Amino acid sequence: MSDPINQYLDILPEVRDALDKGAPVVALESTIISHGMPYPKNAETAHLVESAVRDNGALPATIAILDGRLKVGLSAREIEHFGRTGPAITKASRRDIPFVVARRGDGATTVAATMVVAAMAGIRVMATGGIGGVHRGVEQTMDISADLQELSRTNMAVVCAGIKSVLDIGRTLEYLETMGVPVVGYRTDTVPAFYARNSGFPVDYRVEESLDAAQAMHTKFALGIDGAVLVTNPVPQEHALDATEIDGTIARAIEEMNVRGITGKETTPFLLATIAEKTGGESLQANIELVLNNARLAADIARHYSQLASV
Ligand code: PSU
Ligand code: MN
């Protein structure tokens, strides 16, 4: 009998080959392509991120839903499609997956949905820019990203550049603690704040080497403690933005969002675009650089993890 999940999955042959051999694979999300950056930078970045993973000894698998198929690994042409079509593609989180599949539609997968699909394929490491979290004003809106729930249940190392200050960083960390998700700092004592290197909030555990992160995740899974390890990796110094300045810009973008009445899943894409506009593209460049940096670290972790898992 065929695997009931696999009948929905299309795994790129080279990725399947790597997974069969226990070789390192890094999953990449596609919401960042369709909703996180403007065309053509989004598609260009997606290719650069894939190359960064390859150059560091792992295979990239960009994840998306295409014509109702769960894609693990996209061709260059398919990446171009997600970049060019942009926000017209459904932003798909966990709740959306069955509907996009049943309607044979296209979906750009968030961190949560990427984790769901990557786990189906047996991938244990993913890289992204920033995760979703608890939004500022949560007392009124209850807006908490499904990414946080997913981190609590799906076994994976998720490498990100910390938590963007469009979110309520303190509450996001409290939520992660409650859900049992360890927040690891790669060569940092404080949780990075995406564009800025330091949010002022301490990480749970600092690691110096990618091997240390791989060992922690390997031990977690071996113990049967489900859920992700969140590895936070500060944006490279030379591309970091000034924390105070970017916080001011973010505050103005949030005001504009509230005036326009933008809510729900539209908030993050709106804020990213507005911030990029207000910083004259500087934030977009920082965003690109931090994603590349995360892809390299994720590949390193995946390499170490595949060795640990093979013994
Ligand atoms: N943060 C970014 N860029 C992004 C996102 C977050 O800097 O593109 C995307 C990710 O795909 C993340 C999603 O998983 O937004 C979270 O959306 P929501 O808050 O609607 O769950
Ligand atoms: Mn939300």
Side-chain angles (χ1 to χ4, degrees):
M1 215 178 78
S2 71
D3 183 326
I5 287 174
N6 281 355
Q7 66 183 346
Y8 295 101
L9 272 184
D10 286 340
I11 306 179
L12 226 54
E14 66 168 345
V15 173
R16 178 181 286 284
D17 221 46
L19 289 168
D20 286 346
K21 287 191 294 211
V25 176
V26 173
L28 303 163
E29 60 147 318
S30 46
T31 290
I32 192 174
I33 305 174
S34 296
H35 298 266
M37 291 181 191
Y39 182 80
K41 280 272 182 203
N42 55 5
E44 282 167 28
T45 302
H47 290 298
L48 289 174
V49 171
E50 290 210 338
S51 303
V53 171
R54 275 182 209 280
D55 292 346
N56 282 271
L59 267 188
T62 301
I63 290 185
I65 309 172
L66 187 63
D67 299 324
R69 303 292 301 167
L70 302 178
K71 293 285 183 186
V72 178
L74 294 184
S75 69
R77 205 177 42 79
E78 289 164 346
I79 286 177
E80 179 69 16
H81 166 67
F82 280 90
R84 190 186 284 273
T85 314
I89 290 190
T90 302
K91 176 179 162 186
S93 193
R94 165 180 270 267
R95 68 166 179 198
D96 308 292
I97 295 172
F99 289 86
V100 177
V101 169
R103 292 170 180 177
R104 296 186 163 62
D106 294 347
T109 51
T110 63
V111 170
T114 301
M115 291 174 75
V116 170
V117 177
M120 287 175 186
I123 300 173
R124 289 278 168 256
V125 180
M126 80 163 279
T128 182
I131 57 162
V134 178
H135 282 261
R136 295 198 207 174
V138 67
E139 307 90 313
Q140 270 77 47
T141 62
M142 279 283 279
D143 191 346
I144 301 173
S145 173
D147 289 355
L148 299 185
Q149 284 282 334
E150 203 58 49
L151 287 164
S152 75
R153 67 205 290 176
T154 300
N155 297 357
M156 202 160 286
V158 177
V159 181
C160 71
I163 296 153
K164 205 179 302 101
S165 60
V166 304
L167 300 170
D168 186 324
I169 299 176
R171 284 191 169 100
T172 301
L173 293 170
E174 288 295 343
Y175 194 100
L176 289 169
E177 180 190 4
T178 301
M179 303 304 287
V181 179
V183 177
V184 174
Y186 179 71
R187 298 181 183 172
T188 177
D189 291 320
T190 60
V191 177
F194 199 78
Y195 302 120
R197 287 172 59 86
N198 184 348
S199 69
F201 291 91
V203 297
D204 300 326
Y205 295 93
R206 175 185 172 126
V207 299
E208 296 307 320
E209 302 302 332
S210 51
L211 173 62
D212 302 325
Q215 266 162 350
M217 70 183 274
H218 182 253
T219 306
K220 189 176 198 284
F221 305 157
L223 290 168
I225 301 174
D226 286 340
V229 173
L230 187 65
V231 179
T232 65
N233 186 27
V235 58
Q237 187 80 61
E238 62 274 29
H239 299 289
L241 306 186
D242 178 77
T244 320
E245 222 169 280
I246 193 72
D247 277 354
T249 307
I250 288 170
R252 285 192 296 281
I254 290 176
E255 262 168 46
E256 204 167 312
M257 179 180 82
N258 291 335
V259 168
R260 294 207 203 178
I262 292 167
T263 57
K265 69 197 267 192
E266 311 303 338
T267 58
T268 303
F270 174 83
L271 290 172
L272 288 175
T274 308
I275 293 163
E277 193 185 299
K278 288 188 192 299
T279 61
E282 213 191 348
S283 65
L284 178 58
Q285 194 53 40
N287 198 346
I288 292 168
E289 297 293 343
L290 67 83
V291 177
L292 291 171
N293 196 42
N294 295 343
R296 291 187 285 263
L297 178 57
D300 288 347
I301 294 173
R303 272 193 291 104
H304 288 300
Y305 179 76
S306 78
Q307 281 187 343
L308 293 168
S310 73
V311 287

